[in-house]
Amino acid sequence: MTIGTVINLMQGGILRIIMLCAPVLGAALIVGLIVAIFQATTSIQEQTLTFLPKMIMILIMLALLGGWMFSMMRNYTIDLFNMIPSLAR
């Protein structure tokens, strides 16, 4: 196993982590921004107000994208296991 192979494996793993986390974190960011704007316009400064909408949005995103996320991780894991014989040489 060369340094280039290790770097490619690390880049692939980091790229997949970003691809899996980005939709969920993006949705939570948008909901948090909307709630923050609502809080600023109405002068309601309750800290727990942002928790429930973000949590609901994260659960909705996981329900919608869970199959896609699982298949991406499964394919990456299968690719890694298929690489093991070639890396052992």
Side-chain angles (χ1 to χ4, degrees), residues 2-48:
T2 65
I3 297 295
T5 306
V6 173
I7 291 173
N8 286 337
L9 288 174
M10 291 296 291
Q11 284 177 344
I14 291 170
L15 179 66
R16 281 178 180 81
I17 288 171
I18 291 171
M19 287 174 55
L20 291 173
C21 293
V24 176
L25 292 177
L29 176 73
I30 291 170
V31 169
L33 183 62
I34 291 170
V35 170
I37 291 171
F38 173 75
Q39 284 181 325
T41 56
T42 60
S43 298
I44 299 173
Q45 297 303 321
E46 179 62 35
Q47 295 297 320
T48 59

Short mmCIF file of all heavy atoms in Angstrom, two decimals, residues 2-48:
data_model
loop_
_atom_site.label_atom_id
_atom_site.label_comp_id
_atom_site.label_asym_id
_atom_site.label_seq_id
_atom_site.Cartn_x
_atom_site.Cartn_y
_atom_site.Cartn_z
N THR A 2 0.66 2.10 -0.96
CA THR A 2 1.48 3.30 -1.08
C THR A 2 0.79 4.48 -0.39
O THR A 2 -0.38 4.42 -0.02
CB THR A 2 1.71 3.64 -2.56
OG1 THR A 2 0.46 3.97 -3.16
CG2 THR A 2 2.35 2.47 -3.31
N ILE A 3 1.54 5.56 -0.28
CA ILE A 3 1.00 6.78 0.32
C ILE A 3 -0.14 7.33 -0.53
O ILE A 3 -1.13 7.83 -0.01
CB ILE A 3 2.13 7.83 0.49
CG1 ILE A 3 3.21 7.32 1.42
CG2 ILE A 3 1.57 9.15 0.97
CD1 ILE A 3 2.74 7.13 2.84
N GLY A 4 0.00 7.22 -1.83
CA GLY A 4 -1.05 7.69 -2.73
C GLY A 4 -2.36 6.94 -2.53
O GLY A 4 -3.45 7.54 -2.56
N THR A 5 -2.26 5.64 -2.29
CA THR A 5 -3.47 4.85 -2.03
C THR A 5 -4.13 5.28 -0.73
O THR A 5 -5.35 5.42 -0.66
CB THR A 5 -3.11 3.36 -1.97
OG1 THR A 5 -2.41 2.99 -3.15
CG2 THR A 5 -4.35 2.51 -1.84
N VAL A 6 -3.33 5.49 0.29
CA VAL A 6 -3.86 5.93 1.58
C VAL A 6 -4.54 7.29 1.44
O VAL A 6 -5.63 7.52 1.97
CB VAL A 6 -2.74 5.97 2.64
CG1 VAL A 6 -3.23 6.59 3.93
CG2 VAL A 6 -2.18 4.59 2.88
N ILE A 7 -3.90 8.20 0.71
CA ILE A 7 -4.48 9.53 0.51
C ILE A 7 -5.79 9.44 -0.26
O ILE A 7 -6.78 10.11 0.08
CB ILE A 7 -3.47 10.45 -0.20
CG1 ILE A 7 -2.32 10.76 0.75
CG2 ILE A 7 -4.14 11.74 -0.69
CD1 ILE A 7 -1.18 11.53 0.11
N ASN A 8 -5.85 8.59 -1.28
CA ASN A 8 -7.10 8.42 -2.04
C ASN A 8 -8.21 7.84 -1.17
O ASN A 8 -9.37 8.25 -1.28
CB ASN A 8 -6.86 7.53 -3.26
CG ASN A 8 -6.12 8.26 -4.35
OD1 ASN A 8 -6.14 9.49 -4.42
ND2 ASN A 8 -5.46 7.50 -5.20
N LEU A 9 -7.87 6.88 -0.32
CA LEU A 9 -8.87 6.31 0.58
C LEU A 9 -9.39 7.35 1.57
O LEU A 9 -10.59 7.43 1.84
CB LEU A 9 -8.29 5.11 1.33
CG LEU A 9 -8.08 3.84 0.53
CD1 LEU A 9 -7.36 2.80 1.36
CD2 LEU A 9 -9.39 3.30 0.02
N MET A 10 -8.48 8.15 2.11
CA MET A 10 -8.89 9.19 3.05
C MET A 10 -9.73 10.26 2.36
O MET A 10 -10.75 10.70 2.91
CB MET A 10 -7.66 9.85 3.68
CG MET A 10 -6.91 8.94 4.63
SD MET A 10 -7.88 8.48 6.06
CE MET A 10 -7.97 10.02 6.91
N GLN A 11 -9.35 10.66 1.16
CA GLN A 11 -10.14 11.65 0.42
C GLN A 11 -11.53 11.12 0.11
O GLN A 11 -12.51 11.86 0.23
CB GLN A 11 -9.44 12.04 -0.88
CG GLN A 11 -8.27 12.96 -0.69
CD GLN A 11 -7.56 13.26 -2.00
OE1 GLN A 11 -7.74 12.57 -3.01
NE2 GLN A 11 -6.73 14.29 -1.99
N GLY A 12 -11.62 9.86 -0.30
CA GLY A 12 -12.92 9.27 -0.59
C GLY A 12 -13.80 9.21 0.65
O GLY A 12 -15.00 9.49 0.60
N GLY A 13 -13.21 8.84 1.78
CA GLY A 13 -13.97 8.78 3.03
C GLY A 13 -14.45 10.15 3.48
O GLY A 13 -15.61 10.32 3.87
N ILE A 14 -13.57 11.14 3.41
CA ILE A 14 -13.95 12.49 3.82
C ILE A 14 -15.01 13.06 2.89
O ILE A 14 -15.97 13.70 3.34
CB ILE A 14 -12.70 13.39 3.89
CG1 ILE A 14 -11.82 12.95 5.06
CG2 ILE A 14 -13.09 14.85 4.03
CD1 ILE A 14 -10.46 13.60 5.09
N LEU A 15 -14.88 12.81 1.60
CA LEU A 15 -15.88 13.29 0.64
C LEU A 15 -17.24 12.67 0.91
O LEU A 15 -18.27 13.36 0.88
CB LEU A 15 -15.43 12.98 -0.79
CG LEU A 15 -16.38 13.41 -1.90
CD1 LEU A 15 -16.47 14.93 -1.94
CD2 LEU A 15 -15.93 12.87 -3.23
N ARG A 16 -17.27 11.39 1.21
CA ARG A 16 -18.55 10.74 1.50
C ARG A 16 -19.16 11.25 2.80
O ARG A 16 -20.37 11.40 2.91
CB ARG A 16 -18.38 9.24 1.52
CG ARG A 16 -18.34 8.70 0.11
CD ARG A 16 -18.13 7.22 0.04
NE ARG A 16 -18.11 6.75 -1.33
CZ ARG A 16 -17.07 6.82 -2.14
NH1 ARG A 16 -15.95 7.37 -1.74
NH2 ARG A 16 -17.13 6.35 -3.37
N ILE A 17 -18.32 11.52 3.80
CA ILE A 17 -18.83 12.07 5.06
C ILE A 17 -19.47 13.43 4.81
O ILE A 17 -20.57 13.72 5.31
CB ILE A 17 -17.69 12.18 6.09
CG1 ILE A 17 -17.29 10.80 6.59
CG2 ILE A 17 -18.10 13.06 7.26
CD1 ILE A 17 -16.05 10.79 7.44
N ILE A 18 -18.81 14.26 4.02
CA ILE A 18 -19.37 15.58 3.70
C ILE A 18 -20.67 15.44 2.92
O ILE A 18 -21.65 16.15 3.20
CB ILE A 18 -18.34 16.42 2.94
CG1 ILE A 18 -17.17 16.79 3.86
CG2 ILE A 18 -18.97 17.68 2.36
CD1 ILE A 18 -16.00 17.42 3.17
N MET A 19 -20.70 14.52 1.96
CA MET A 19 -21.92 14.33 1.16
C MET A 19 -23.08 13.81 2.01
O MET A 19 -24.24 14.14 1.75
CB MET A 19 -21.64 13.36 0.01
CG MET A 19 -20.81 13.97 -1.09
SD MET A 19 -20.35 12.79 -2.37
CE MET A 19 -21.92 12.15 -2.88
N LEU A 20 -22.79 13.00 3.02
CA LEU A 20 -23.85 12.46 3.86
C LEU A 20 -24.33 13.47 4.89
O LEU A 20 -25.52 13.50 5.23
CB LEU A 20 -23.36 11.19 4.56
CG LEU A 20 -23.14 9.99 3.66
CD1 LEU A 20 -22.50 8.86 4.44
CD2 LEU A 20 -24.42 9.53 3.02
N CYS A 21 -23.45 14.29 5.39
CA CYS A 21 -23.82 15.25 6.44
C CYS A 21 -24.40 16.54 5.90
O CYS A 21 -25.19 17.20 6.59
CB CYS A 21 -22.60 15.58 7.30
SG CYS A 21 -22.01 14.21 8.26
N ALA A 22 -24.01 16.95 4.70
CA ALA A 22 -24.38 18.26 4.17
C ALA A 22 -25.90 18.48 4.08
O ALA A 22 -26.38 19.54 4.49
CB ALA A 22 -23.72 18.49 2.83
N PRO A 23 -26.69 17.54 3.55
CA PRO A 23 -28.13 17.82 3.46
C PRO A 23 -28.80 17.99 4.82
O PRO A 23 -29.63 18.90 4.99
CB PRO A 23 -28.71 16.59 2.73
CG PRO A 23 -27.57 15.94 2.08
CD PRO A 23 -26.36 16.27 2.88
N VAL A 24 -28.43 17.17 5.77
CA VAL A 24 -29.04 17.25 7.10
C VAL A 24 -28.61 18.53 7.81
O VAL A 24 -29.45 19.26 8.36
CB VAL A 24 -28.66 16.00 7.94
CG1 VAL A 24 -29.21 16.11 9.34
CG2 VAL A 24 -29.17 14.74 7.26
N LEU A 25 -27.33 18.84 7.76
CA LEU A 25 -26.85 20.06 8.41
C LEU A 25 -27.35 21.31 7.70
O LEU A 25 -27.63 22.32 8.35
CB LEU A 25 -25.33 20.05 8.47
CG LEU A 25 -24.71 19.01 9.38
CD1 LEU A 25 -23.20 19.06 9.29
CD2 LEU A 25 -25.17 19.21 10.80
N GLY A 26 -27.47 21.24 6.37
CA GLY A 26 -28.00 22.38 5.63
C GLY A 26 -29.45 22.67 5.99
O GLY A 26 -29.83 23.84 6.16
N ALA A 27 -30.25 21.63 6.11
CA ALA A 27 -31.65 21.82 6.50
C ALA A 27 -31.75 22.38 7.92
O ALA A 27 -32.56 23.28 8.18
CB ALA A 27 -32.41 20.50 6.41
N ALA A 28 -30.93 21.88 8.83
CA ALA A 28 -30.93 22.41 10.19
C ALA A 28 -30.47 23.86 10.23
O ALA A 28 -31.00 24.67 10.99
CB ALA A 28 -30.03 21.56 11.09
N LEU A 29 -29.52 24.21 9.38
CA LEU A 29 -29.04 25.58 9.29
C LEU A 29 -30.14 26.52 8.80
O LEU A 29 -30.34 27.60 9.35
CB LEU A 29 -27.83 25.66 8.37
CG LEU A 29 -27.26 27.04 8.10
CD1 LEU A 29 -26.54 27.54 9.33
CD2 LEU A 29 -26.34 27.00 6.91
N ILE A 30 -30.86 26.10 7.77
CA ILE A 30 -31.93 26.93 7.23
C ILE A 30 -33.05 27.11 8.25
O ILE A 30 -33.54 28.23 8.45
CB ILE A 30 -32.46 26.31 5.91
CG1 ILE A 30 -31.38 26.45 4.83
CG2 ILE A 30 -33.74 26.99 5.47
CD1 ILE A 30 -31.68 25.67 3.57
N VAL A 31 -33.43 26.03 8.92
CA VAL A 31 -34.48 26.15 9.95
C VAL A 31 -34.01 27.04 11.09
O VAL A 31 -34.76 27.88 11.59
CB VAL A 31 -34.90 24.75 10.46
CG1 VAL A 31 -35.76 24.86 11.70
CG2 VAL A 31 -35.63 24.00 9.37
N GLY A 32 -32.76 26.90 11.50
CA GLY A 32 -32.22 27.74 12.56
C GLY A 32 -32.20 29.21 12.17
O GLY A 32 -32.50 30.08 12.98
N LEU A 33 -31.88 29.48 10.92
CA LEU A 33 -31.88 30.85 10.43
C LEU A 33 -33.28 31.44 10.41
O LEU A 33 -33.50 32.59 10.83
CB LEU A 33 -31.25 30.92 9.04
CG LEU A 33 -31.11 32.29 8.41
CD1 LEU A 33 -30.18 33.16 9.25
CD2 LEU A 33 -30.58 32.16 7.00
N ILE A 34 -34.26 30.66 9.97
CA ILE A 34 -35.65 31.12 9.95
C ILE A 34 -36.15 31.40 11.37
O ILE A 34 -36.78 32.43 11.63
CB ILE A 34 -36.54 30.09 9.23
CG1 ILE A 34 -36.21 30.07 7.74
CG2 ILE A 34 -38.02 30.40 9.44
CD1 ILE A 34 -36.85 28.94 6.98
N VAL A 35 -35.84 30.51 12.29
CA VAL A 35 -36.27 30.72 13.68
C VAL A 35 -35.56 31.92 14.28
O VAL A 35 -36.17 32.70 15.03
CB VAL A 35 -36.03 29.44 14.51
CG1 VAL A 35 -36.25 29.70 15.99
CG2 VAL A 35 -36.95 28.33 14.03
N ALA A 36 -34.28 32.11 13.96
CA ALA A 36 -33.55 33.26 14.48
C ALA A 36 -34.13 34.57 13.96
O ALA A 36 -34.25 35.55 14.71
CB ALA A 36 -32.08 33.16 14.11
N ILE A 37 -34.51 34.60 12.68
CA ILE A 37 -35.14 35.80 12.13
C ILE A 37 -36.48 36.04 12.81
O ILE A 37 -36.83 37.18 13.15
CB ILE A 37 -35.29 35.67 10.60
CG1 ILE A 37 -33.91 35.73 9.95
CG2 ILE A 37 -36.20 36.76 10.04
CD1 ILE A 37 -33.91 35.39 8.47
N PHE A 38 -37.25 34.97 13.02
CA PHE A 38 -38.53 35.09 13.73
C PHE A 38 -38.32 35.63 15.14
O PHE A 38 -39.06 36.49 15.60
CB PHE A 38 -39.24 33.73 13.76
CG PHE A 38 -40.48 33.72 14.59
CD1 PHE A 38 -41.64 34.32 14.13
CD2 PHE A 38 -40.49 33.11 15.84
CE1 PHE A 38 -42.79 34.31 14.90
CE2 PHE A 38 -41.63 33.10 16.62
CZ PHE A 38 -42.79 33.69 16.14
N GLN A 39 -37.31 35.12 15.83
CA GLN A 39 -37.03 35.59 17.19
C GLN A 39 -36.61 37.05 17.20
O GLN A 39 -36.98 37.81 18.10
CB GLN A 39 -35.94 34.74 17.84
CG GLN A 39 -36.42 33.40 18.31
CD GLN A 39 -35.31 32.61 18.98
OE1 GLN A 39 -34.14 32.70 18.58
NE2 GLN A 39 -35.67 31.84 19.98
N ALA A 40 -35.83 37.45 16.22
CA ALA A 40 -35.37 38.84 16.17
C ALA A 40 -36.52 39.80 15.87
O ALA A 40 -36.56 40.90 16.41
CB ALA A 40 -34.28 38.98 15.13
N THR A 41 -37.46 39.39 15.04
CA THR A 41 -38.55 40.28 14.68
C THR A 41 -39.61 40.36 15.78
O THR A 41 -40.27 41.39 15.90
CB THR A 41 -39.22 39.86 13.37
OG1 THR A 41 -39.66 38.51 13.48
CG2 THR A 41 -38.25 39.99 12.21
N THR A 42 -39.78 39.32 16.55
CA THR A 42 -40.81 39.32 17.58
C THR A 42 -40.25 39.56 18.98
O THR A 42 -41.02 39.62 19.93
CB THR A 42 -41.57 37.98 17.59
OG1 THR A 42 -40.64 36.93 17.85
CG2 THR A 42 -42.28 37.75 16.27
N SER A 43 -38.95 39.70 19.10
CA SER A 43 -38.28 39.92 20.39
C SER A 43 -38.53 38.79 21.38
O SER A 43 -38.50 38.99 22.59
CB SER A 43 -38.71 41.26 21.02
OG SER A 43 -38.34 42.32 20.19
N ILE A 44 -38.78 37.59 20.89
CA ILE A 44 -38.89 36.41 21.74
C ILE A 44 -37.49 35.80 21.81
O ILE A 44 -36.97 35.33 20.82
CB ILE A 44 -39.88 35.37 21.17
CG1 ILE A 44 -41.27 35.96 21.06
CG2 ILE A 44 -39.89 34.13 22.02
CD1 ILE A 44 -42.26 35.05 20.35
N GLN A 45 -36.89 35.83 22.97
CA GLN A 45 -35.52 35.33 23.11
C GLN A 45 -35.48 34.05 23.93
O GLN A 45 -34.71 33.91 24.86
CB GLN A 45 -34.64 36.41 23.74
CG GLN A 45 -34.50 37.66 22.91
CD GLN A 45 -33.96 37.38 21.52
OE1 GLN A 45 -33.06 36.56 21.35
NE2 GLN A 45 -34.51 38.05 20.53
N GLU A 46 -36.30 33.12 23.58
CA GLU A 46 -36.32 31.82 24.25
C GLU A 46 -35.29 30.91 23.59
O GLU A 46 -35.35 30.67 22.38
CB GLU A 46 -37.72 31.22 24.16
CG GLU A 46 -37.86 29.86 24.80
CD GLU A 46 -37.60 29.89 26.29
OE1 GLU A 46 -37.93 30.89 26.94
OE2 GLU A 46 -37.05 28.89 26.77
N GLN A 47 -34.35 30.39 24.35
CA GLN A 47 -33.27 29.57 23.81
C GLN A 47 -33.76 28.20 23.34
O GLN A 47 -33.19 27.62 22.42
CB GLN A 47 -32.17 29.40 24.85
CG GLN A 47 -31.47 30.69 25.20
CD GLN A 47 -30.76 31.30 24.02
OE1 GLN A 47 -30.17 30.62 23.23
NE2 GLN A 47 -30.84 32.62 23.90
N THR A 48 -34.80 27.69 23.97
CA THR A 48 -35.26 26.35 23.61
C THR A 48 -36.18 26.36 22.40
O THR A 48 -36.55 25.29 21.91
CB THR A 48 -36.01 25.71 24.80
OG1 THR A 48 -37.12 26.53 25.15
CG2 THR A 48 -35.08 25.55 25.98
#
